[in-house]
């Protein structure tokens, strides 16, 4: 590690940041102004000249260049008294000061342009911000690593060289391309199928007029009518189409998985977890382990056969977290998850701990709600008898999903950790340390009151966790235990 970086006084990012700023502004301008392009074609050709067009484009490009340079010159940062200090802005000047203790995670990113000019973007995130609070667009990798070491150090920053003494990370997980392939084929392809369907449908809508002009629609109708009596032909055709759609869905899932999680590596350095992944856009997340609110481990029947799991690190947030902001690793083995739990939690989790399941009323509640929706659906479809045949598939599917959800719902109370299971086709397990509870409440409907059951809602810094429909006596006991554990703990939840 290069120890020559001085963070005690204001410094700028690499001068290559001008190039990064230029392409970002150019892309945003193009994205926001494309709607004006049709107006260009509505004008008479004689009202434009090559000179005017070239001059207009040149002025826009010069404006973008000037703005990029000013952004670079006015973007300065330093470290002072265990605070990260940032000044930025052209006309409107902004000063930001973030204590090290409030930093939730640091992310390194490299898009195609940043990889091409060999710079790294550094994002600093805190729990209270809905968006990234600090984004330094262009640092050398050595500079970025040095800044990360200082921000995640428990030491005072006067002696920067002492902080920057390199300690080799401990590798916990490394996913090969073959492992990524196993992850992709075991993913939920329903999402990819919907994307494919939406793409085909939107394409059909766009080409509908063209098909009518060419009379292709009429030809297809005649073809369908001629083969309407051939049930075997119809079944064969539908099977081929479904198989084709399924294969395309797998390919889409593989491409998405490969691009996002390529070269996935998880390691531990000091008290921070470091996660690297990505192909076109490379990402390197650094998370303080004490900032992880709870751990979510998920799998599905196919993943379970292969022996792999997905892991999500839930952190404090001020609202709903976008999918691209969720920190997730895929393809983890059971022993790797055990190591991860040992790192994050002080307590060893006993797999043989007593299991508590929801009251049977939970089944009744789900059946009532689901079949009420089916009845409403059938009332709306009485105009067409064909829709009623959907029930032949819908009713058994609803029954299956309800029973799976009930079967997979449980909780275990360890000494200081709450384990909560849920899911239907997939299985999801939450591991949550009790001292991080912010608020507990018991919620009971008038129907639950008759059955003497209640829900427990746990409010955490990362959202709500629900324990559904348990006996009230057990709920009160659990409520008191969790409240007691929270009050006696001297640990900080952030």
């Amino acid at each position: 590690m290069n120890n020559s970086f001085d963070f005690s006084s204001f410094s700028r990012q690499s001068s290559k940041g001008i190039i990064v700023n230029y392409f970002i502004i150019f892309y945003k301008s193009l994205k926001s102004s494309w709607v004006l392009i049709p107006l260009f074609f509505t004008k008479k050709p004689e009202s434009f000249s090559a000179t005017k067009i070239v001059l207009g484009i040149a002025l826009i490009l010069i404006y973008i260049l000037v703005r990029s340079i000013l952004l670079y010159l006015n973007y300065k940062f330093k470290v002072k008294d265990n605070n990260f200090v940032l000044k930025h802005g052209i006309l409107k000047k902004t000063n930001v000061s973030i204590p090290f203790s409030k930093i939730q995670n640091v992310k390194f990113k490299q898009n195609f342009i940043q990889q091409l000019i060999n710079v790294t973007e550094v994002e600093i995130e805190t729990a209270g911000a809905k968006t990234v609070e600090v984004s330094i667009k262009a640092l050398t990798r050595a500079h970025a690593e040095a800044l990360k070491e200082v921000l995640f150090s428990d030491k005072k920053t006067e002696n920067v060289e002492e902080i920057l003494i390199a300690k080799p990370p401990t590798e916990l997980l490394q996913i090969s391309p073959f492992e990524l392939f196993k992850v992709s084929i075991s993913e939920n392809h329903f999402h990819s199928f919907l994307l494919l369907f939406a793409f085909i449908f939107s394409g059909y809508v766009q080409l509908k007029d063209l098909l009518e002009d060419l009379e292709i629609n009429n030809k297809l109708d005649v073809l369908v009518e001629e083969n309407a009596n051939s049930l075997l032909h119809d079944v064969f055709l539908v099977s081929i189409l479904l198989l084709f759609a399924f294969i395309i869905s797998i390919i889409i899932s593989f491409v998405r998985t490969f691009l996002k999680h390529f070269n996935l590596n998880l390691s531990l350095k000091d008290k921070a977890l470091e996660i690297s992944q990505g192909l076109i856009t490379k990402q390197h997340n650094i998370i303080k382990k004490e900032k992880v609110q709870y751990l979510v481990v998920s799998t599905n029947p196919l993943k379970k056969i292969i022996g792999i799991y997905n892991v999500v690190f839930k952190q404090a947030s001020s609202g709903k977290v976008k999918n691209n902001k969720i920190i997730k690793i895929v393809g983890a083995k059971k022993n790797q998850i055990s190591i991860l739990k040992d790192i994050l939690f002080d307590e060893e989790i006993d797999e043989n701990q007593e299991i508590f399941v929801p009251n049977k009323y939970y089944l009744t509640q789900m059946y009532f709600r689901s079949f009420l929706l089916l009845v409403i659906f059938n009332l709306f479809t009485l105009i067409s008898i064909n829709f009623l045949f959907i029930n032949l598939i819908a009713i058994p599917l609803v029954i299956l999903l309800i029973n799976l959800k009930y079967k997979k719902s449980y909780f275990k109370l360890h000494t200081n950790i709450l384990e909560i299971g849920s899911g239907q086709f997939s299985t999801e397990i939450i591991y949550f340390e009790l001292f991080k509870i912010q608020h507990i409440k018991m919620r009971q409907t008038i129907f639950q009151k008759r059955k003497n059951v209640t829900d427990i809602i746990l409010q955490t810094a990362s959202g709500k966790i629900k324990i559904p429909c348990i006996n009230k006596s057990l709920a009160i006991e659990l409520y008191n235990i969790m409240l007691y554990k929270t009050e006696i703990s001297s640990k900080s939840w952030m």
Side-chain angles (χ1 to χ4, degrees):
M1 177 83 63
N2 189 339
N3 298 342
S4 61
F5 300 108
D6 180 16
F7 296 104
S8 61
S9 56
F10 279 107
S11 61
R12 295 189 179 97
Q13 54 191 314
S14 168
S15 57
K16 295 177 182 178
I18 297 173
I19 301 173
V20 178
N21 287 336
Y22 187 90
F23 279 98
I24 289 173
I25 298 170
F26 180 80
Y27 172 74
K28 287 181 177 179
S29 302
L30 196 64
K31 188 178 178 181
S32 60
S33 61
W34 70 271
V35 291
L36 301 176
I37 294 176
L39 296 176
F40 177 83
F41 292 100
T42 60
K43 298 289 184 180
K44 294 180 180 180
E46 55 268 21
S47 62
F48 294 101
S49 67
T51 305
K52 288 181 180 179
I53 294 172
V54 172
L55 183 61
I57 293 174
L59 288 173
I60 292 171
L61 295 179
I62 291 171
Y63 164 77
I64 294 175
L65 178 61
V66 171
R67 183 171 174 80
S68 302
I69 294 172
L70 290 175
L71 283 173
Y72 163 75
L73 293 174
N74 288 279
Y75 200 97
K76 301 176 183 178
F77 60 92
K78 71 175 181 177
V79 171
K80 182 180 180 183
D81 299 327
N82 280 4
N83 286 266
F84 177 83
V85 182
L86 171 68
K87 291 183 178 181
H88 65 97
I90 301 175
L91 297 177
K92 182 182 177 181
K93 304 290 184 180
T94 303
N95 294 333
V96 178
S97 181
I98 305 175
F100 288 1
S101 59
K102 300 298 182 183
I103 295 174
Q104 186 162 263
N105 68 282
V106 174
K107 180 187 290 185
F108 294 170
K109 289 175 64 178
Q110 282 186 306
N111 58 30
F112 178 75
I113 299 298
Q114 288 163 334
Q115 291 181 54
L116 198 64
I117 62 177
N118 196 27
V119 293
T120 299
E121 179 179 349
V122 178
E123 293 182 350
I124 300 173
E125 297 182 2
T126 63
K130 290 185 178 180
T131 57
V132 176
E133 197 151 1
V134 174
S135 179
I136 307 172
K137 301 296 183 184
L139 290 179
T140 64
R141 185 65 183 214
H143 200 170
E145 290 284 355
L147 179 60
K148 180 261 295 185
E149 293 290 342
V150 173
L151 295 178
F152 275 15
S153 174
D154 293 328
K155 302 175 183 178
K156 294 291 181 182
T157 56
E158 282 79 4
N159 190 352
V160 176
E161 291 193 3
E162 183 183 348
I163 294 172
L164 295 179
I165 296 174
K167 295 180 180 179
T170 303
E171 187 177 282
L172 304 176
L173 179 146
Q174 175 75 49
I175 301 296
S176 66
F178 178 69
E179 293 292 325
L180 277 182
F181 175 73
K182 292 198 293 186
V183 169
S184 66
I185 63 173
S186 61
E187 285 291 295
N188 182 1
H189 301 297
F190 184 68
H191 178 68
S192 299
F193 184 82
L194 287 179
L195 287 176
L196 179 64
F197 177 79
F199 175 76
I200 293 173
F201 181 75
S202 62
Y204 171 75
V205 171
Q206 296 294 328
L207 296 173
K208 186 178 179 180
D209 294 336
L210 177 62
L211 293 174
E212 289 177 353
D213 292 339
L214 297 175
E215 298 184 348
I216 292 178
N217 273 345
N218 295 332
K219 293 177 183 178
L220 288 174
D221 291 339
V222 171
L223 183 64
V224 170
E225 288 176 6
E226 289 176 351
N227 293 277
N229 296 324
S230 176
L231 180 62
L232 183 63
H233 178 271
D234 292 343
V235 171
F236 178 75
L237 181 61
V238 171
S239 300
I240 291 296
L241 289 174
L242 288 175
L243 179 62
F244 176 75
F246 179 70
I247 292 172
I248 297 298
S249 298
I250 291 178
I251 293 172
I252 293 172
S253 294
F254 175 73
V255 171
R256 287 170 54 236
T257 303
F258 196 81
L259 292 177
K260 185 174 181 179
H261 301 292
F262 178 75
N263 201 26
L264 172 59
N265 179 277
L266 171 67
S267 59
L268 176 69
K269 187 172 182 182
D270 295 328
K271 295 182 179 180
L273 292 167
E274 302 193 7
I275 304 167
S276 302
Q277 55 187 331
L279 183 59
I280 295 177
T281 299
K282 294 182 179 180
Q283 295 194 21
H284 184 84
N285 285 282
I286 304 100
I287 317 169
K288 292 181 179 180
K289 68 176 189 176
E290 63 269 18
K291 300 294 184 181
V292 177
Q293 292 300 302
Y294 58 89
L295 196 68
V296 183
V297 179
S298 62
T299 187
N300 60 41
L302 186 54
K303 286 184 187 296
K304 203 165 184 179
I305 292 171
I306 300 173
I308 57 176
Y309 300 81
N310 293 343
V311 179
V312 173
F313 301 92
K314 299 291 285 188
Q315 295 181 285
S317 62
S318 58
K320 189 175 180 180
V321 182
K322 295 180 180 179
N323 286 333
N324 62 345
K325 295 293 181 184
I326 294 174
I327 301 177
K328 176 181 177 180
I329 60 173
V330 298
K333 304 291 194 302
K334 201 167 186 177
N335 64 312
Q336 293 168 331
I337 292 174
S338 296
I339 294 170
L340 198 55
K341 287 189 286 189
D342 290 339
I343 291 169
L344 293 175
F345 309 128
D346 296 331
E347 174 189 345
E348 185 177 348
I349 298 172
D350 183 10
E351 297 294 334
N352 299 317
Q353 190 72 25
E354 184 180 2
I355 298 175
F356 297 93
V357 297
N359 187 279
K360 288 286 186 181
Y361 178 72
Y362 189 42
L363 268 175
T364 307
Q365 183 179 299
M366 288 190 289
Y367 274 123
F368 176 77
R369 290 174 180 173
S370 299
F371 282 102
L372 181 62
L373 289 174
L374 281 175
V375 169
I376 294 171
F377 172 79
N378 278 278
L379 289 175
F380 280 107
T381 57
L382 286 176
I383 54 174
S384 175
I385 196 68
N386 293 328
F387 281 102
L388 295 177
F389 288 103
I390 295 176
N391 291 307
L392 296 175
I393 299 173
I395 292 175
L397 182 61
V398 167
I399 293 172
L400 174 64
L401 291 174
I402 288 173
N403 282 277
L404 284 174
K405 187 171 184 178
Y406 179 77
K407 185 179 179 181
K408 294 187 178 184
S409 297
Y410 76 91
F411 75 88
K412 294 180 182 179
L413 183 61
H414 303 276
T415 305
N416 293 301
I417 294 174
L418 185 64
E419 176 184 337
I420 303 174
S422 62
Q424 288 176 316
F425 286 120
S426 61
T427 303
E428 187 176 279
I429 302 174
I430 292 173
Y431 297 95
F432 176 72
E433 292 179 292
L434 296 177
F435 74 88
K436 293 184 178 179
I437 294 174
Q438 292 185 314
H439 176 66
I440 315 172
K441 70 176 178 180
M442 291 191 292
R443 187 175 64 188
Q444 189 180 49
T445 66
I446 56 173
F447 302 105
Q448 288 176 323
K449 193 173 183 179
R450 293 176 183 175
K451 298 294 181 179
N452 202 31
V453 296
T454 185
D455 300 332
I456 290 184
I457 311 296
L458 308 177
Q459 182 65 54
T460 75
S462 189
K464 293 179 180 179
I465 300 175
K466 180 180 177 181
I467 305 176
C469 219
I470 59 175
N471 294 330
K472 190 171 182 180
S473 57
L474 176 61
I476 292 172
E477 183 182 353
L478 182 62
Y479 178 92
N480 291 330
I481 290 172
M482 290 192 293
L483 197 61
Y484 173 73
K485 294 283 187 183
T486 305
E487 289 176 349
I488 66 170
S489 176
S490 59
K491 295 180 180 178
S492 173
W493 58 270
M494 277 293 291

